Amino acid sequence: MNQIQLSSEIKLSQNTLPLWVQLLPIGPEISTADGREFTLSEPELVIQNSMRENVEMSVDYEHSIRDENQHIKPAAGWVKALELRDDGIWGKVEWTKPATQLIENKEYRYLSPLLSLSSDTAGNKVITKIVNVGLTNTPALEMAAFCSTKTEKLKVDTSTFAHEIASLMSLDTNNPNEILAALRQKNEASELASCSLDVEEAIGKYVFPRSCEPEFLSMRKVLGKQCFESIVSKLSLNGFGFVHLNSHQTKSLPKLQHTNNLGLSNGELEACKLVGVEPELYKKIKEQK
């Protein structure tokens, strides 16, 4: 088993930077200085996964690619090619002028690859990709952090998070897809209930015809609460609904005798029936005028 810190010293040749640098040993079993073990079983596939078409792998400073608080992340160099040799995976690096000066002045001495890992059926951590390479002076410390890739951490956090959500929702599953489907269904039901409540309030407030409920519900879903409330208010102000009816608007209704104990004419009763408003509600609004 090879002993490695997932970093390598940059060896200058007569104070000149090397064109090719070693990034990983040959494997297949690799262990770090702190005892962690990894597998490099398919180095050719790792090279294939690492080199994206038309996008060169960067060499940065102290793996700044992982620092979300650092907005400016200059490159120290660019990996132009990867090559499998008898002793491991090597990279051809084109260095920037600032990085060249730092290395030649021995202000930076080590390279450390940032790796993506997966787990095989036996639970071994398998190296699948070199994400990028970082210049560093603390390989032993950085190594522990870089081995635990962000992808791996997210996988653990997602599993824990999914379990917590399933527990809160009383779901008998830890499957992320099933939990997501349940969350979506719950969100849709909650949104529908909220929309229905807003429509019900609008119909009651402005005495809109009950037959308009499906169209109002569609408006509320598409336009949102604020825009919907603005529209129904303008509809009411422009005479849609019973809340603004007055004697000038109702004088054209047939002058029929009252034939019910509410004191409403047959014309008023028919109008209530046509627009889906209860006669008692109409009478109450009419008396408030």
Side-chain angles (χ1 to χ4, degrees):
M1 179 178 294
N2 295 320
Q3 186 73 24
I4 186 174
Q5 295 181 336
L6 289 187
S7 63
S8 57
E9 185 174 2
I10 303 172
K11 297 180 181 180
L12 301 179
S13 175
Q14 298 180 346
N15 292 326
T16 301
L17 266 68
L19 182 62
W20 287 87
V21 293
Q22 186 177 18
L23 302 179
L24 286 173
I26 192 60
E29 302 301 324
I30 299 173
S31 68
T32 64
D34 65 348
R36 302 181 70 184
E37 298 181 352
F38 303 90
T39 300
L40 181 61
S41 55
E42 298 183 87
E44 297 91 349
L45 183 59
V46 170
I47 291 176
Q48 180 180 336
N49 293 338
S50 302
M51 298 303 291
R52 297 169 55 193
E53 185 177 359
N54 299 325
V55 179
E56 295 176 350
M57 184 191 305
S58 67
V59 180
D60 61 12
Y61 298 92
E62 303 290 354
H63 285 290
S64 60
I65 191 175
R66 302 193 66 194
D67 188 354
E68 297 178 353
N69 297 320
Q70 184 174 339
H71 300 295
I72 300 177
K73 304 176 181 180
W78 299 95
V79 178
K80 312 294 285 188
L82 292 176
E83 181 177 284
L84 180 61
R85 300 183 181 180
D86 292 340
D87 57 349
I89 295 177
W90 287 66
K92 182 180 180 181
V93 180
E94 179 181 278
W95 302 99
T96 64
K97 290 182 179 180
T100 299
Q101 185 174 354
L102 289 171
I103 298 170
E104 289 179 346
N105 292 339
K106 295 187 177 180
E107 295 179 68
Y108 273 107
R109 293 186 60 190
Y110 298 93
L111 285 173
S112 176
L114 174 61
L115 306 174
S116 286
L117 307 174
S118 65
S119 297
D120 60 16
T121 56
N124 299 314
K125 298 299 181 182
V126 179
I127 299 173
T128 59
K129 177 182 178 181
I130 301 174
V131 178
N132 89 320
V133 184
L135 282 174
T136 181
N137 284 327
T138 54
L141 296 176
E142 296 296 328
M143 168 275 306
F146 296 147
C147 288
S148 301
T149 64
K150 182 176 288 188
T151 301
E152 183 184 10
K153 288 181 179 178
L154 284 174
K155 190 179 294 184
V156 174
D157 292 342
T158 300
S159 176
T160 302
F161 191 49
H163 176 75
E164 293 295 329
I165 294 177
S167 178
L168 290 172
M169 295 181 65
S170 301
L171 298 177
D172 189 22
T173 180
N174 284 331
N175 185 298
N177 292 330
E178 294 179 2
I179 293 174
L180 183 59
L183 280 171
R184 287 174 175 166
Q185 185 177 5
K186 184 175 181 179
N187 182 67
E188 291 173 358
S190 177
E191 178 65 16
L192 178 60
S194 178
C195 292
S196 298
L197 180 61
D198 290 342
V199 169
E200 190 67 29
E201 289 179 353
I203 290 176
K205 179 179 180 180
Y206 300 113
V207 199
F208 288 135
R210 178 63 62 178
S211 59
C212 294
E213 184 174 359
E215 288 76 14
F216 278 177
L217 188 58
S218 296
M219 285 172 51
R220 170 61 181 84
K221 288 179 180 178
V222 174
L223 301 177
K225 182 180 181 70
Q226 185 175 359
C227 188
F228 171 75
E229 290 179 346
S230 175
I231 288 178
V232 294
S233 175
K234 291 177 181 179
L235 284 173
S236 178
L237 290 174
N238 284 276
F240 185 71
F242 275 129
V243 80
H244 292 287
L245 288 181
N246 52 45
S247 59
H248 294 288
Q249 293 169 301
T250 59
K251 64 183 181 181
S252 61
L253 293 175
K255 303 297 183 180
L256 300 177
Q257 294 184 348
H258 297 171
T259 58
N260 57 78
N261 56 9
L262 294 176
L264 301 178
S265 68
N266 287 343
E268 289 172 317
L269 291 174
E270 184 64 22
C272 289
K273 180 179 179 181
L274 288 173
V275 298
V277 175
E278 294 295 330
E280 291 82 0
L281 179 59
Y282 174 77
K283 176 178 172 60
K284 181 178 179 181
I285 295 173
K286 181 179 178 181
E287 290 174 347
Q288 292 175 353
K289 292 292 186 178

